[in-house]
Amino acid sequence: MNERQGMMVLANCEGGGGMKAAQAALERGGAGLDAVEAGIRVVEADTSVVTVGRGGAPDLLGVVSCDAAVMDGATGRAGAVGNLRGFLHAVSVARQVMERLPHVLLVSEGAERFAGEIGAEPAEMLTDEAWARYEQWMRERVPVGVRARLPEGDLAKIAWESCNEMTAGGTTVFLSIDGNGDIAAGTSTSGWAQRYPGRLGDSPIIGAGLYADNRYGACGCTHVGEMTTRACTARSVVLYMKAGASVREACLEAVRDLRSLKGGYLGPVVIHAIDRQGSPCVVSTGPVVKGLDYFYWGGGAVGIEMRRAEIAA
Ligand code: GLY
């Protein structure tokens, strides 16, 4: 068990900027969900993080949309939003789905209607920098005739152009344990850059992109969300721990599941997990250009540490 009643926070490489806010939420006596939400909100507002929130990458039509979710390991309650446009903090809307509705996942117009009803902060999510990256990518990858017809035309023909590590996936993941020993998980992403409009990744899918259960631990995934959706990775990691595996054994078993997938776009996945004592394990299915660093605060005097994920053999 960690120091200070077992409190801890783990965030993936994109989440470093939110670690202090998450730590502070726990030190104030907040719940694990408060920590996860506080940390992710910082990342969502930081335009230098180009895979999450404002400043994130648009879809093939140049529209920024966000996916996010939270899960409470004490109760199994969860809330999520997908394809949310025009609001700064998808994670807070996701949390309010959990708190106020009899539902788990809202998407598109329904999610935006709900965000308006609860007074969520509206924002222009597309920045000049993100638009410039989008335009450059479109110029380099999409024939001029196809570009000239947008938003009409057959986008399926160009959907495969963005299948590489620099564009496919990108998420922030936070896992925490609060002073009561309650575990929480949260995710947020602006999704795969230049994706087909309407594409949801794993981040808002409970059991794929995240899962938390006080009895065993929690898990959150980054990179290619189609793969963790197909393999139900986050839930699998927690189930492997339920079956008696250590957190590392559970992650490595989930890597084997991911490696057994055939067909579709198969790229890297990084699995972030904790057991119920807060012991972390972060494993990548292979070398990645970005995403091997992660951040850990174990509740004690050591402070926030930057650590390196293991690459599964
Ligand atoms: N893992 C984030 C996504 O696939 O959108």
Side-chain angles (χ1 to χ4, degrees):
M1 184 65 83
N2 301 287
E3 298 167 55
R4 210 195 290 257
Q5 299 91 45
M7 294 193 298
M8 60 78 53
V9 179
L10 184 153
N12 74 314
C13 64
E14 320 284 62
M19 281 294 290
K20 279 191 182 149
Q23 173 185 345
L26 292 184
E27 288 180 324
R28 281 195 303 271
L33 280 171
D34 298 329
V36 160
E37 183 180 355
I40 291 177
R41 282 174 65 94
V42 174
V43 185
E44 287 175 336
D46 180 353
T47 56
S48 72
V49 180
V50 300
T51 58
V52 179
R54 187 158 189 277
D59 65 17
L60 274 171
L61 296 179
V63 176
V64 176
S65 60
C66 295
D67 306 334
V70 295
M71 185 163 188
D72 175 17
T75 61
R77 290 190 312 156
V81 288
N83 199 34
L84 178 78
R85 293 152 297 186
F87 290 90
L88 187 57
H89 292 301
V91 70
S92 296
V93 184
R95 182 160 181 195
Q96 292 307 312
V97 170
M98 184 190 90
E99 303 283 2
R100 300 190 196 204
L101 290 177
H103 309 308
V104 169
L105 172 60
L106 294 182
V107 300
S108 307
E109 288 81 6
E112 289 147 14
R113 176 196 170 99
F114 177 72
E117 277 184 30
I118 64 169
E121 186 178 342
E124 173 50 73
M125 301 300 280
L126 181 62
T127 60
D128 293 343
E129 293 76 12
W131 181 252
R133 283 191 297 273
Y134 164 80
E135 283 204 312
Q136 183 183 350
W137 189 92
M138 294 294 279
R139 270 197 308 275
E140 290 171 359
R141 302 287 188 132
V142 180
V144 66
V146 176
R147 276 187 274 138
R149 292 196 63 214
L150 291 175
E152 305 304 322
D154 185 353
L155 295 183
K157 286 189 181 139
I158 47 175
W160 287 83
E161 282 295 320
S162 57
C163 290
N164 66 73
E165 192 195 327
M166 296 314 289
T167 44
T171 312
T172 193
V173 163
F174 275 71
L175 308 175
S176 79
I177 303 181
D178 65 24
N180 290 327
D182 288 332
I183 300 179
T187 54
S188 183
T189 182
S190 53
W192 179 326
Q194 289 84 241
R195 61 200 167 276
Y196 195 97
R199 176 260 184 190
L200 293 185
D202 58 338
S203 302
I205 308 298
I206 306 302
L210 76 165
Y211 202 78
D213 184 330
N214 266 15
R215 297 173 298 171
Y216 310 111
C219 179
C221 302
T222 63
H223 290 71
V224 184
E226 278 69 3
M227 293 173 65
T228 60
T229 300
R230 289 163 65 187
C232 300
T233 301
R235 172 72 168 144
S236 296
V237 166
V238 175
L239 278 181
Y240 290 134
M241 288 193 277
K242 178 178 183 177
S246 70
V247 62
R248 180 168 180 271
E249 289 165 347
C251 290
L252 293 176
E253 192 58 36
V255 168
R256 283 189 276 278
D257 294 341
L258 289 161
R259 286 178 176 167
S260 78
L261 298 174
K262 293 178 180 57
Y265 170 58
L266 301 174
V269 168
V270 184
I271 301 172
H272 306 74
I274 54 171
D275 66 18
R276 68 192 170 89
Q277 277 84 32
S279 299
C281 180
V282 180
V283 173
S284 174
T285 57
V288 290
V289 178
K290 57 187 173 88
L292 280 185
D293 293 330
Y294 71 96
F295 297 89
Y296 179 81
W297 175 68
V302 174
I304 296 167
E305 301 166 61
M306 189 165 83
R307 298 184 177 184
R308 195 91 176 143
E310 171 180 348
I311 300 176

